[in-house]
mmCIF file of all heavy atoms in Angstrom:
data_model
loop_
_atom_site.group_PDB
_atom_site.id
_atom_site.type_symbol
_atom_site.label_atom_id
_atom_site.label_comp_id
_atom_site.label_asym_id
_atom_site.label_seq_id
_atom_site.Cartn_x
_atom_site.Cartn_y
_atom_site.Cartn_z
ATOM 1 N N THR A 10 -224.220 -136.685 -147.201
ATOM 2 C CA THR A 10 -223.630 -137.002 -148.497
ATOM 3 C C THR A 10 -223.538 -138.522 -148.717
ATOM 4 O O THR A 10 -223.517 -139.307 -147.751
ATOM 5 C CB THR A 10 -222.228 -136.413 -148.647
ATOM 6 O OG1 THR A 10 -221.419 -136.873 -147.573
ATOM 7 C CG2 THR A 10 -222.303 -134.880 -148.604
ATOM 8 N N TYR A 11 -223.463 -138.862 -149.976
ATOM 9 C CA TYR A 11 -223.212 -140.234 -150.416
ATOM 10 C C TYR A 11 -222.144 -140.183 -151.484
ATOM 11 O O TYR A 11 -222.135 -139.286 -152.304
ATOM 12 C CB TYR A 11 -224.481 -140.885 -151.016
ATOM 13 C CG TYR A 11 -224.182 -142.025 -151.935
ATOM 14 C CD1 TYR A 11 -224.029 -143.325 -151.469
ATOM 15 C CD2 TYR A 11 -224.066 -141.801 -153.333
ATOM 16 C CE1 TYR A 11 -223.722 -144.368 -152.320
ATOM 17 C CE2 TYR A 11 -223.771 -142.841 -154.165
ATOM 18 C CZ TYR A 11 -223.612 -144.125 -153.658
ATOM 19 O OH TYR A 11 -223.319 -145.142 -154.505
ATOM 20 N N TYR A 12 -221.222 -141.207 -151.483
ATOM 21 C CA TYR A 12 -220.186 -141.298 -152.514
ATOM 22 C C TYR A 12 -220.106 -142.748 -153.006
ATOM 23 O O TYR A 12 -220.234 -143.662 -152.253
ATOM 24 C CB TYR A 12 -218.833 -140.899 -151.986
ATOM 25 C CG TYR A 12 -218.712 -139.460 -151.604
ATOM 26 C CD1 TYR A 12 -218.856 -139.046 -150.298
ATOM 27 C CD2 TYR A 12 -218.428 -138.509 -152.555
ATOM 28 C CE1 TYR A 12 -218.772 -137.736 -149.911
ATOM 29 C CE2 TYR A 12 -218.314 -137.162 -152.225
ATOM 30 C CZ TYR A 12 -218.473 -136.778 -150.903
ATOM 31 O OH TYR A 12 -218.340 -135.491 -150.551
ATOM 32 N N ARG A 13 -219.924 -142.861 -154.305
ATOM 33 C CA ARG A 13 -219.588 -144.148 -154.886
ATOM 34 C C ARG A 13 -218.223 -144.575 -154.332
ATOM 35 O O ARG A 13 -217.326 -143.762 -154.160
ATOM 36 C CB ARG A 13 -219.533 -144.044 -156.387
ATOM 37 C CG ARG A 13 -219.352 -145.340 -157.110
ATOM 38 C CD ARG A 13 -219.343 -145.141 -158.599
ATOM 39 N NE ARG A 13 -219.389 -146.452 -159.302
ATOM 40 C CZ ARG A 13 -220.493 -147.085 -159.583
ATOM 41 N NH1 ARG A 13 -221.690 -146.576 -159.244
ATOM 42 N NH2 ARG A 13 -220.440 -148.260 -160.222
ATOM 43 N N ASN A 14 -218.085 -145.859 -154.089
ATOM 44 C CA ASN A 14 -216.846 -146.361 -153.468
ATOM 45 C C ASN A 14 -215.594 -145.932 -154.204
ATOM 46 O O ASN A 14 -214.581 -145.599 -153.614
ATOM 47 C CB ASN A 14 -216.892 -147.866 -153.312
ATOM 48 C CG ASN A 14 -217.815 -148.330 -152.203
ATOM 49 O OD1 ASN A 14 -218.102 -147.610 -151.294
ATOM 50 N ND2 ASN A 14 -218.234 -149.582 -152.298
ATOM 51 N N SER A 15 -215.672 -145.971 -155.544
ATOM 52 C CA SER A 15 -214.475 -145.693 -156.355
ATOM 53 C C SER A 15 -214.029 -144.229 -156.342
ATOM 54 O O SER A 15 -212.963 -143.920 -156.786
ATOM 55 C CB SER A 15 -214.673 -146.168 -157.790
ATOM 56 O OG SER A 15 -215.755 -145.451 -158.403
ATOM 57 N N VAL A 16 -214.894 -143.343 -155.809
ATOM 58 C CA VAL A 16 -214.506 -141.937 -155.754
ATOM 59 C C VAL A 16 -214.284 -141.438 -154.338
ATOM 60 O O VAL A 16 -213.867 -140.292 -154.146
ATOM 61 C CB VAL A 16 -215.561 -141.001 -156.477
ATOM 62 C CG1 VAL A 16 -215.845 -141.495 -157.849
ATOM 63 C CG2 VAL A 16 -216.801 -140.876 -155.635
ATOM 64 N N LYS A 17 -214.545 -142.238 -153.345
ATOM 65 C CA LYS A 17 -214.335 -141.854 -151.952
ATOM 66 C C LYS A 17 -212.876 -141.462 -151.721
ATOM 67 O O LYS A 17 -211.977 -142.181 -152.154
ATOM 68 C CB LYS A 17 -214.760 -142.977 -150.985
ATOM 69 C CG LYS A 17 -216.243 -143.192 -150.900
ATOM 70 C CD LYS A 17 -216.528 -144.335 -149.957
ATOM 71 C CE LYS A 17 -218.033 -144.574 -149.803
ATOM 72 N NZ LYS A 17 -218.373 -145.725 -148.924
ATOM 73 N N GLY A 18 -212.707 -140.316 -151.065
ATOM 74 C CA GLY A 18 -211.356 -139.850 -150.798
ATOM 75 C C GLY A 18 -210.774 -139.010 -151.907
ATOM 76 O O GLY A 18 -209.749 -138.340 -151.728
ATOM 77 N N ARG A 19 -211.428 -139.014 -153.103
ATOM 78 C CA ARG A 19 -210.961 -138.209 -154.212
ATOM 79 C C ARG A 19 -211.914 -137.131 -154.585
ATOM 80 O O ARG A 19 -211.502 -136.058 -155.046
ATOM 81 C CB ARG A 19 -210.685 -139.118 -155.440
ATOM 82 C CG ARG A 19 -209.612 -140.170 -155.231
ATOM 83 C CD ARG A 19 -209.270 -140.829 -156.555
ATOM 84 N NE ARG A 19 -210.424 -141.529 -157.164
ATOM 85 C CZ ARG A 19 -210.949 -141.244 -158.338
ATOM 86 N NH1 ARG A 19 -210.409 -140.283 -159.085
ATOM 87 N NH2 ARG A 19 -211.996 -141.930 -158.796
ATOM 88 N N PHE A 20 -213.233 -137.384 -154.510
ATOM 89 C CA PHE A 20 -214.279 -136.450 -154.879
ATOM 90 C C PHE A 20 -214.954 -135.895 -153.628
ATOM 91 O O PHE A 20 -215.098 -136.585 -152.646
ATOM 92 C CB PHE A 20 -215.341 -137.108 -155.764
ATOM 93 C CG PHE A 20 -214.880 -137.508 -157.120
ATOM 94 C CD1 PHE A 20 -213.530 -137.535 -157.492
ATOM 95 C CD2 PHE A 20 -215.860 -137.867 -158.045
ATOM 96 C CE1 PHE A 20 -213.132 -137.887 -158.778
ATOM 97 C CE2 PHE A 20 -215.446 -138.251 -159.351
ATOM 98 C CZ PHE A 20 -214.139 -138.272 -159.707
ATOM 99 N N THR A 21 -215.354 -134.642 -153.718
ATOM 100 C CA THR A 21 -216.109 -134.020 -152.640
ATOM 101 C C THR A 21 -217.315 -133.308 -153.224
ATOM 102 O O THR A 21 -217.181 -132.454 -154.116
ATOM 103 C CB THR A 21 -215.247 -133.000 -151.896
ATOM 104 O OG1 THR A 21 -214.099 -133.650 -151.352
ATOM 105 C CG2 THR A 21 -216.085 -132.393 -150.727
ATOM 106 N N ILE A 22 -218.529 -133.637 -152.727
ATOM 107 C CA ILE A 22 -219.714 -132.966 -153.127
ATOM 108 C C ILE A 22 -220.074 -131.917 -152.041
ATOM 109 O O ILE A 22 -219.934 -132.181 -150.856
ATOM 110 C CB ILE A 22 -220.883 -133.952 -153.375
ATOM 111 C CG1 ILE A 22 -222.070 -133.245 -154.023
ATOM 112 C CG2 ILE A 22 -221.301 -134.675 -152.073
ATOM 113 C CD1 ILE A 22 -223.157 -134.190 -154.547
ATOM 114 N N SER A 23 -220.565 -130.778 -152.482
ATOM 115 C CA SER A 23 -220.987 -129.719 -151.556
ATOM 116 C C SER A 23 -222.116 -128.959 -152.165
ATOM 117 O O SER A 23 -222.461 -129.137 -153.313
ATOM 118 C CB SER A 23 -219.782 -128.789 -151.239
ATOM 119 O OG SER A 23 -219.291 -128.170 -152.431
ATOM 120 N N ARG A 24 -222.726 -128.090 -151.337
ATOM 121 C CA ARG A 24 -223.864 -127.319 -151.859
ATOM 122 C C ARG A 24 -223.842 -125.917 -151.273
ATOM 123 O O ARG A 24 -223.279 -125.703 -150.187
ATOM 124 C CB ARG A 24 -225.181 -128.021 -151.569
ATOM 125 C CG ARG A 24 -225.934 -127.655 -150.264
ATOM 126 C CD ARG A 24 -225.276 -128.208 -149.062
ATOM 127 N NE ARG A 24 -226.225 -128.227 -147.942
ATOM 128 C CZ ARG A 24 -225.847 -128.278 -146.660
ATOM 129 N NH1 ARG A 24 -224.550 -128.315 -146.356
ATOM 130 N NH2 ARG A 24 -226.769 -128.262 -145.697
ATOM 131 N N ASP A 25 -224.417 -124.995 -151.984
ATOM 132 C CA ASP A 25 -224.656 -123.645 -151.534
ATOM 133 C C ASP A 25 -226.186 -123.457 -151.658
ATOM 134 O O ASP A 25 -226.687 -123.202 -152.741
ATOM 135 C CB ASP A 25 -223.894 -122.619 -152.347
ATOM 136 C CG ASP A 25 -224.023 -121.212 -151.804
ATOM 137 O OD1 ASP A 25 -225.079 -120.865 -151.213
ATOM 138 O OD2 ASP A 25 -223.045 -120.430 -151.959
ATOM 139 N N GLY A 26 -226.896 -123.558 -150.535
ATOM 140 C CA GLY A 26 -228.350 -123.489 -150.587
ATOM 141 C C GLY A 26 -228.863 -122.153 -151.053
ATOM 142 O O GLY A 26 -229.876 -122.085 -151.736
ATOM 143 N N ALA A 27 -228.172 -121.064 -150.706
ATOM 144 C CA ALA A 27 -228.568 -119.750 -151.109
ATOM 145 C C ALA A 27 -228.554 -119.578 -152.635
ATOM 146 O O ALA A 27 -229.298 -118.789 -153.181
ATOM 147 C CB ALA A 27 -227.751 -118.676 -150.417
ATOM 148 N N LEU A 28 -227.638 -120.277 -153.259
ATOM 149 C CA LEU A 28 -227.478 -120.174 -154.699
ATOM 150 C C LEU A 28 -228.128 -121.315 -155.477
ATOM 151 O O LEU A 28 -228.056 -121.371 -156.691
ATOM 152 C CB LEU A 28 -225.973 -120.120 -155.052
ATOM 153 C CG LEU A 28 -225.182 -118.961 -154.556
ATOM 154 C CD1 LEU A 28 -223.713 -119.076 -154.957
ATOM 155 C CD2 LEU A 28 -225.751 -117.644 -155.039
ATOM 156 N N ASN A 29 -228.773 -122.240 -154.737
ATOM 157 C CA ASN A 29 -229.379 -123.422 -155.378
ATOM 158 C C ASN A 29 -228.376 -124.148 -156.270
ATOM 159 O O ASN A 29 -228.690 -124.539 -157.404
ATOM 160 C CB ASN A 29 -230.633 -123.057 -156.188
ATOM 161 C CG ASN A 29 -231.874 -122.955 -155.311
ATOM 162 O OD1 ASN A 29 -231.845 -123.109 -154.120
ATOM 163 N ND2 ASN A 29 -233.040 -122.711 -155.973
ATOM 164 N N THR A 30 -227.187 -124.316 -155.750
ATOM 165 C CA THR A 30 -226.093 -124.852 -156.564
ATOM 166 C C THR A 30 -225.363 -125.975 -155.784
ATOM 167 O O THR A 30 -225.187 -125.881 -154.573
ATOM 168 C CB THR A 30 -225.091 -123.759 -156.911
ATOM 169 O OG1 THR A 30 -225.746 -122.732 -157.668
ATOM 170 C CG2 THR A 30 -223.910 -124.294 -157.729
ATOM 171 N N ILE A 31 -225.014 -127.008 -156.509
ATOM 172 C CA ILE A 31 -224.117 -128.071 -155.939
ATOM 173 C C ILE A 31 -222.841 -128.105 -156.742
ATOM 174 O O ILE A 31 -222.794 -127.675 -157.905
ATOM 175 C CB ILE A 31 -224.752 -129.430 -155.887
ATOM 176 C CG1 ILE A 31 -225.088 -129.965 -157.324
ATOM 177 C CG2 ILE A 31 -226.048 -129.420 -155.068
ATOM 178 C CD1 ILE A 31 -225.428 -131.443 -157.339
ATOM 179 N N PHE A 32 -221.810 -128.658 -156.102
ATOM 180 C CA PHE A 32 -220.501 -128.688 -156.716
ATOM 181 C C PHE A 32 -219.962 -130.135 -156.555
ATOM 182 O O PHE A 32 -220.354 -130.881 -155.685
ATOM 183 C CB PHE A 32 -219.542 -127.719 -156.029
ATOM 184 C CG PHE A 32 -220.048 -126.319 -155.964
ATOM 185 C CD1 PHE A 32 -220.745 -125.886 -154.873
ATOM 186 C CD2 PHE A 32 -219.789 -125.446 -157.009
ATOM 187 C CE1 PHE A 32 -221.215 -124.579 -154.813
ATOM 188 C CE2 PHE A 32 -220.254 -124.138 -156.976
ATOM 189 C CZ PHE A 32 -220.964 -123.714 -155.876
ATOM 190 N N LEU A 33 -219.039 -130.481 -157.451
ATOM 191 C CA LEU A 33 -218.314 -131.740 -157.336
ATOM 192 C C LEU A 33 -216.865 -131.431 -157.596
ATOM 193 O O LEU A 33 -216.475 -131.201 -158.730
ATOM 194 C CB LEU A 33 -218.852 -132.766 -158.310
ATOM 195 C CG LEU A 33 -218.217 -134.158 -158.152
ATOM 196 C CD1 LEU A 33 -218.676 -134.808 -156.870
ATOM 197 C CD2 LEU A 33 -218.589 -135.067 -159.348
ATOM 198 N N HIS A 34 -216.060 -131.454 -156.529
ATOM 199 C CA HIS A 34 -214.625 -131.252 -156.676
ATOM 200 C C HIS A 34 -213.991 -132.628 -156.864
ATOM 201 O O HIS A 34 -214.164 -133.498 -156.006
ATOM 202 C CB HIS A 34 -214.035 -130.546 -155.458
ATOM 203 C CG HIS A 34 -212.596 -130.250 -155.574
ATOM 204 N ND1 HIS A 34 -212.125 -129.069 -156.095
ATOM 205 C CD2 HIS A 34 -211.493 -130.974 -155.269
ATOM 206 C CE1 HIS A 34 -210.814 -129.110 -156.105
ATOM 207 N NE2 HIS A 34 -210.428 -130.232 -155.601
ATOM 208 N N MET A 35 -213.268 -132.775 -157.930
ATOM 209 C CA MET A 35 -212.704 -134.039 -158.298
ATOM 210 C C MET A 35 -211.179 -133.944 -158.295
ATOM 211 O O MET A 35 -210.595 -133.110 -159.034
ATOM 212 C CB MET A 35 -213.187 -134.502 -159.675
ATOM 213 C CG MET A 35 -214.718 -134.549 -159.763
ATOM 214 S SD MET A 35 -215.304 -135.142 -161.387
ATOM 215 C CE MET A 35 -214.784 -133.739 -162.410
ATOM 216 N N ASP A 36 -210.512 -134.780 -157.561
ATOM 217 C CA ASP A 36 -209.063 -134.850 -157.468
ATOM 218 C C ASP A 36 -208.579 -136.167 -158.012
ATOM 219 O O ASP A 36 -209.272 -137.146 -158.078
ATOM 220 C CB ASP A 36 -208.582 -134.678 -156.045
ATOM 221 C CG ASP A 36 -208.755 -133.270 -155.490
ATOM 222 O OD1 ASP A 36 -208.589 -132.318 -156.265
ATOM 223 O OD2 ASP A 36 -208.994 -133.162 -154.300
ATOM 224 N N THR A 37 -207.277 -136.196 -158.387
ATOM 225 C CA THR A 37 -206.614 -137.413 -158.834
ATOM 226 C C THR A 37 -207.387 -138.127 -159.886
ATOM 227 O O THR A 37 -207.644 -139.348 -159.816
ATOM 228 C CB THR A 37 -206.334 -138.294 -157.620
ATOM 229 O OG1 THR A 37 -205.942 -137.535 -156.488
ATOM 230 C CG2 THR A 37 -205.174 -139.271 -157.962
ATOM 231 N N LEU A 38 -207.796 -137.389 -160.936
ATOM 232 C CA LEU A 38 -208.615 -137.966 -161.987
ATOM 233 C C LEU A 38 -207.812 -138.973 -162.787
ATOM 234 O O LEU A 38 -206.638 -138.753 -163.103
ATOM 235 C CB LEU A 38 -209.146 -136.859 -162.873
ATOM 236 C CG LEU A 38 -210.265 -136.013 -162.261
ATOM 237 C CD1 LEU A 38 -210.424 -134.719 -163.029
ATOM 238 C CD2 LEU A 38 -211.567 -136.798 -162.247
ATOM 239 N N GLY A 39 -208.483 -140.046 -163.203
ATOM 240 C CA GLY A 39 -207.883 -141.069 -164.042
ATOM 241 C C GLY A 39 -208.791 -141.409 -165.194
ATOM 242 O O GLY A 39 -209.895 -140.908 -165.308
ATOM 243 N N PRO A 40 -208.311 -142.284 -166.068
ATOM 244 C CA PRO A 40 -209.114 -142.641 -167.262
ATOM 245 C C PRO A 40 -210.495 -143.170 -166.940
ATOM 246 O O PRO A 40 -211.473 -142.929 -167.684
ATOM 247 C CB PRO A 40 -208.231 -143.719 -167.948
ATOM 248 C CG PRO A 40 -206.866 -143.394 -167.492
ATOM 249 C CD PRO A 40 -206.965 -142.884 -166.136
ATOM 250 N N ASP A 41 -210.628 -143.866 -165.833
ATOM 251 C CA ASP A 41 -211.940 -144.409 -165.431
ATOM 252 C C ASP A 41 -212.942 -143.342 -165.070
ATOM 253 O O ASP A 41 -214.151 -143.593 -164.978
ATOM 254 C CB ASP A 41 -211.838 -145.401 -164.270
ATOM 255 C CG ASP A 41 -211.148 -146.700 -164.665
ATOM 256 O OD1 ASP A 41 -211.037 -146.940 -165.910
ATOM 257 O OD2 ASP A 41 -210.749 -147.460 -163.783
#
């Protein structure tokens, strides 16, 4: 995985290869 510095610790990227799907879980969202 790779994360932009400003989202490290707040966002999590994951994948389900069987479903050909990726996810982005985003916590502590702000205006930026």
